[in-house]
Amino acid sequence: MNRISLARTTVAAAAALLTAACGTAAGSSGEGPPAPTTAAVPARVTHALPEDPVRMVLPVTGAESRWTQGLDVFGQQVARTAAADCARADGIGLTEQVPLAFISYAELPDLGFLARHGFGHGTEVPPPAPAPTSAARPAPARSGGPAQIRRCRAEGEAAAEAVRKVYLPVQRAWFGELSATRRAPAAARALRGLPDCLADQGYRVRDEEAFFALVDSRLMNAPAADYARVDRALGSAYATCMRPVETVREPMRLELRERFLADHAEEIRELRAALVPALRRAEKAYGLRLAFPTP
């Protein structure tokens, strides 16, 4: 994985994903961190859906957010696949795009995942299977012009929107309310203990944002041979020190979700009925398979 600014990506991701896991055991983030080692532990994907599809859309823990990350990546895969189909039909090539990545949510730190993998070793997004007819098709004879590329990209976004419209309005409303738990007095008090805990772990910073800046610096400058050890140590320290904060936040989020489900009962009924069928139709139409990061 490239040494990008992953800690800051985590902070920015909540808003970014709304423009758009693990298996059935996903739930509390209260997993104990393993001792850091020099070798990176490979992360994997799972294809198991939660028993209640609402948990993909309205996560309350870092572990549940893995489903949300997979849902977001799936929408992007639909957009790219539909755009590629359009370009292939026109006999043109599309410009290269940055590889897709599972991006975590700042509001829902996945402490179990961070403790095991650190900030710089995420799960690789599995590439979609080649189109059945792709071997028989010649390579694009020419690059697409700007208008052709825009049209195919627009077709891709329209295909993704057909999937996202099933859940995105409800998800946007949920994340709008979820941010309130960060400002709650009990959560704020717990977070004030973070710098002292991090200092005990060997990282002297004034607050969470300063720690993320430190992570950026350490990962960007770590020698290749030492990168995994540094990354795991940072992730383990953050998971250890954020666990008391999440112990306060998670019950608040669970209670908030219960209220949200009651306040949006009709929308939730429609979501439960429509989401999985819509995802399965898209899988079949575009040759994709839902995948979620898992430690």
Side-chain angles (χ1 to χ4, degrees), residues 26-285:
S28 173
S29 61
E31 304 167 49
T37 63
T38 51
V41 179
R44 302 163 295 148
V45 297
T46 180
H47 302 286
L49 294 174
E51 292 182 7
D52 185 354
V54 162
R55 295 170 75 185
M56 284 191 284
V57 180
L58 313 179
V60 298
T61 70
E64 284 189 347
S65 78
R66 298 170 201 159
W67 281 312
T68 317
Q69 294 173 48
L71 188 62
D72 178 70
V73 163
F74 184 73
Q76 296 176 69
Q77 287 180 317
V78 168
R80 293 190 179 192
T81 303
D85 289 346
C86 168
R88 195 161 42 243
D90 286 355
I92 63 171
L94 295 175
T95 53
E96 290 288 330
Q97 292 182 285
V98 175
L100 294 175
F102 296 112
I103 301 177
S104 60
Y105 287 79
E107 297 289 350
L108 300 166
D110 190 351
L111 303 185
F113 198 96
L114 287 169
R116 185 170 178 81
H117 299 289
F119 291 92
H121 291 91
T123 307
E124 298 291 334
V125 175
T133 59
S134 61
R137 291 181 181 270
R142 57 193 173 86
S143 298
Q148 290 174 302
I149 291 174
R150 283 197 300 272
R151 180 175 63 80
C152 285
R153 298 281 189 222
E155 284 194 19
E157 285 304 314
E161 177 59 25
V163 178
R164 292 172 179 151
K165 69 181 182 181
V166 175
Y167 67 87
L168 197 56
V170 175
Q171 189 183 68
R172 282 179 172 149
W174 168 244
F175 272 90
E177 297 193 16
L178 190 63
S179 61
T181 60
R182 179 175 283 266
R183 300 189 300 270
R189 283 194 300 271
L191 192 60
R192 284 197 290 270
L194 182 66
D196 287 343
C197 178
L198 289 171
D200 291 341
Q201 299 286 322
Y203 304 102
R204 295 191 176 279
V205 293
R206 67 180 180 278
D207 55 23
E208 186 180 18
E209 181 67 20
F211 179 74
F212 289 151
L214 176 68
V215 171
D216 289 344
S217 176
R218 294 281 178 93
L219 294 186
M220 291 295 289
N221 293 293
D226 207 30
Y227 183 84
R229 183 194 63 79
V230 172
D231 189 21
R232 292 282 309 284
L234 289 162
S236 180
Y238 182 74
T240 295
C241 293
M242 279 297 290
R243 193 158 286 109
V245 181
E246 286 299 280
T247 298
V248 173
R249 287 175 176 171
E250 285 184 6
M252 296 168 59
R253 295 191 203 112
L254 284 165
E255 183 179 344
L256 181 64
R257 184 165 65 184
E258 290 303 311
R259 292 201 302 269
F260 187 92
L261 293 174
D263 292 343
H264 298 79
E266 183 58 34
E267 296 163 273
I268 298 302
R269 277 194 294 271
E270 293 175 0
L271 177 68
R272 286 189 170 119
L275 180 58
V276 173
L279 296 174
R280 295 309 189 203
R281 285 194 300 270
E283 285 182 319
K284 184 176 181 180

Side-chain angles (χ1 to χ4, degrees), residues 5-24:
S5 178
L6 289 172
R8 293 193 183 282
T9 300
T10 301
V11 174
L17 286 172
L18 286 179
T19 61
C22 82
T24 54

